[in-house]
Amino acid sequence: MSIVNSARDQKHPVDESLNAGSVLPLIYDLSLQQLEKVVAEWGEPAYRARQIWEGIYQHLWSKPEEFTFLPKPLREKLFTWFSFSALAPGMVKSSADRQTIKTLFRLRDGRAIEAVLMLYEHRRTLCISTQAGCAMGCVFCATGQMGFKRNLSSGEIVEQVLYYARQLNLQGEKVSNVVVMGMGEPFHNYQNTLEAIDRLNDAQGFNLGSRRFTISTVGLVPMIRRFAAEKRQINLAVSLHAANDELRSSMLPINRKYPINSLLAACRDYVDQTGRRITFEWALIRNVNDTPEDARQLARLLHGLLCHVNVIPLNPTNRYSGQATTRERAEAFRQILEEAGIPCTIRLRRGIDIQAGCGQLASQAE
Ligand code: SAH
Ligand code: SF4
């Protein structure tokens, strides 16, 4: 059933069109081509679709009265047929230094997700979610601990970015980077995630360049291969956390399905095929994966690969007993990698005081 038909089947008075609880199709779920089709079905000239697109993605409009360059009947029709809001912002938490802002959103079915804005010098980086919950069950992750609820639609992913873009716009600022590192495993919701990025990437719309996006995956090997074949300019990060199968499987259950040798083979092929550097994520957990021997094992594993390692002290969660590493041990870990020729950065634990770790706020809300 087409988007238009499914909309037509529903009764939807105009005054409900902005209601986040409405079941109207979400406008951000549409590509420009799909919007053009809808506009054509309405008997409107094709340029109207582009005007609507620019209104949404360039001007960041979401209310009928904002779409001033549309005739009033068309404006009304647009908002009768489509919802412009599937995310109802709930709790907002700001870190003590006000550099990290986290928003909890209710979806139309009541599920909770979260998205985080991080301010760093001139950068305005968003961390967005792709699923409510996650099926991967990584033991130290608050999202993994809550289990899988559902995939987000491409529009629900897009709207997280538009929400913050509108807020930044009020201060004359823009989103500069998007990291797909919030709740969920993006490669377990591959299609919707990539469609969302394409929509935000569109030069006639939001126009955020591919290189401004980073997708982080737990290591779904077939999807890494698929992503590599698409030869996109989007950055790829892989959550490694352990350099031997026994340890990695105990932390990341998916490792039993895609063990380290198959994962690293896919990563090497990705670098060969795309010429792009890959990032590895490593949450440092005291006495679990933060010893000099862990660092040496990792250095051997990554030898000769065009890559970069981000280490971040674990953000402790309720249902995992592991503790964060110390600053000294993180520094020693970094040094071993650097001496082996592998660039490594110690990342800050941003927003610890506001539970800005992956899924911590939403798992409480659920
Ligand atoms: N599912 C994807 C992306 C979301 S998680 C993935 O796993 O890569 C984003 C990053 O946060 C991953 O590297 C993940 O391992 C890490 N992470 C999850 N819980 C964490 C915690 N409690 N402390 C530190 N890092 C954590
Ligand atoms: Fe899912 Fe990533 Fe959390 Fe693992 S770390 S449970 S893949 S969100």
Side-chain angles (χ1 to χ4, degrees):
M1 190 187 288
S2 80
I3 290 155
V4 177
N5 285 337
S6 61
R8 198 175 283 146
D9 289 343
Q10 293 151 7
K11 304 255 180 299
H12 37 72
V14 183
D15 58 357
E16 272 184 19
S17 62
L18 275 177
N19 180 350
S22 112
V23 288
L24 297 178
L26 182 62
I27 192 87
Y28 318 119
D29 276 326
L30 271 63
S31 64
L32 178 57
Q33 291 70 28
Q34 287 170 317
L35 186 61
E36 281 167 348
K37 236 175 112 193
V38 170
V39 166
E41 282 183 38
W42 287 348
E44 296 284 343
Y47 68 88
R48 292 294 185 203
R50 182 124 322 149
Q51 284 183 319
I52 296 168
W53 190 259
E54 287 174 6
I56 297 168
Y57 292 106
Q58 288 183 8
H59 304 292
L60 307 172
W61 294 336
S62 61
K63 298 183 191 74
E65 63 272 18
E66 291 173 318
F67 285 79
T68 42
F69 45 52
L70 299 182
K72 204 152 177 260
L74 180 55
R75 247 185 272 172
E76 281 176 0
K77 191 161 189 175
L78 184 63
F79 282 80
T80 307
W81 286 62
F82 290 101
S83 167
F84 280 64
S85 168
L87 304 183
M91 195 193 309
V92 178
K93 286 202 171 190
S94 200
S95 62
D97 60 6
R98 306 188 66 80
Q99 299 301 290
T100 307
I101 299 154
K102 176 169 198 158
T103 307
L104 180 79
F105 296 100
R106 281 280 167 204
L107 303 173
R108 295 191 287 186
D109 61 359
R111 292 290 177 208
I113 59 153
E114 52 196 45
V116 185
L117 169 65
M118 291 167 284
L119 311 180
Y120 184 72
E121 292 178 356
H122 294 300
R123 271 195 252 158
R124 301 288 174 264
T125 303
L126 288 185
C127 177
I128 59 167
S129 297
T130 54
Q131 299 178 317
C134 183
M136 300 298 139
C138 305
V139 294
F140 53 78
C141 170
T143 310
Q145 290 160 7
M146 71 190 268
F148 179 70
K149 307 299 178 189
R150 72 166 171 89
N151 279 332
L152 302 191
S153 73
S154 60
E156 288 170 326
I157 299 170
V158 164
E159 195 182 334
Q160 296 169 54
V161 177
L162 294 180
Y163 172 84
Y164 277 112
R166 287 180 198 125
Q167 300 218 328
L168 287 169
N169 193 36
L170 297 174
Q171 300 151 37
E173 294 185 351
K174 286 184 164 179
V175 175
S176 64
N177 300 81
V178 172
V179 296
V180 187
M181 292 190 184
M183 297 173 72
E185 166 51 40
F187 281 177
H188 189 215
N189 187 15
Y190 190 93
Q191 182 98 0
N192 292 350
T193 300
L194 273 292
E195 277 181 18
I197 293 177
D198 285 342
R199 214 153 289 152
L200 294 165
N201 190 214
D202 186 284
Q204 288 158 340
F206 196 73
N207 195 22
L208 190 63
S210 294
R211 289 161 193 244
R212 306 300 189 100
F213 290 88
T214 301
I215 297 182
S216 176
T217 178
V218 70
L220 303 186
V221 168
M223 294 300 149
I224 293 175
R225 295 198 172 279
R226 177 172 167 188
F227 184 71
E230 290 178 16
K231 293 206 167 53
R232 291 165 174 273
Q233 303 289 308
I234 300 164
N235 302 301
L236 180 64
V238 171
S239 301
L240 200 53
H241 305 306
N244 67 75
D245 281 323
E246 193 186 346
L247 180 58
R248 193 164 190 270
S249 294
S250 74
M251 294 156 71
L252 286 63
I254 196 69
N255 191 69
R256 290 186 206 116
K257 192 163 182 191
Y258 304 117
I260 291 176
N261 61 358
S262 70
L263 176 58
L264 261 289
C267 292
R268 285 184 191 276
D269 289 346
Y270 167 84
V271 172
D272 288 345
Q273 272 176 275
T274 61
R276 296 185 67 77
R277 188 178 78 163
I278 200 163
T279 298
F280 292 100
E281 308 281 344
W282 191 285
L284 283 168
I285 309 167
R286 192 180 312 181
N287 295 328
V288 173
N289 65 354
D290 70 341
T291 67
E293 180 47 29
D294 289 304
R296 284 192 288 270
Q297 230 178 50
L298 176 60
R300 283 196 294 275
L301 194 65
L302 302 184
H303 181 73
L305 182 61
L306 179 62
C307 70
H308 183 271
V309 176
N310 279 335
V311 294
I312 180 164
L314 179 82
N315 197 347
T317 52
N318 286 342
R319 282 185 258 172
Y320 178 64
S321 59
Q323 294 301 309
T325 193
T326 60
R327 182 188 287 245
E328 294 72 31
R329 289 173 75 114
E331 183 51 38
F333 194 94
R334 190 189 67 80
Q335 248 176 30
I336 293 171
L337 287 178
E338 292 276 353
E339 278 163 16
I342 296 163
C344 174
T345 310
I346 302 175
R347 297 283 169 192
L348 300 170
R349 286 193 293 163
R350 300 290 302 266
I352 280 289
D353 55 335
I354 57 164
Q355 288 144 328
C358 170
Q360 283 181 294
L361 206 57
S363 64
Q364 282 169 16
E366 285 271 345

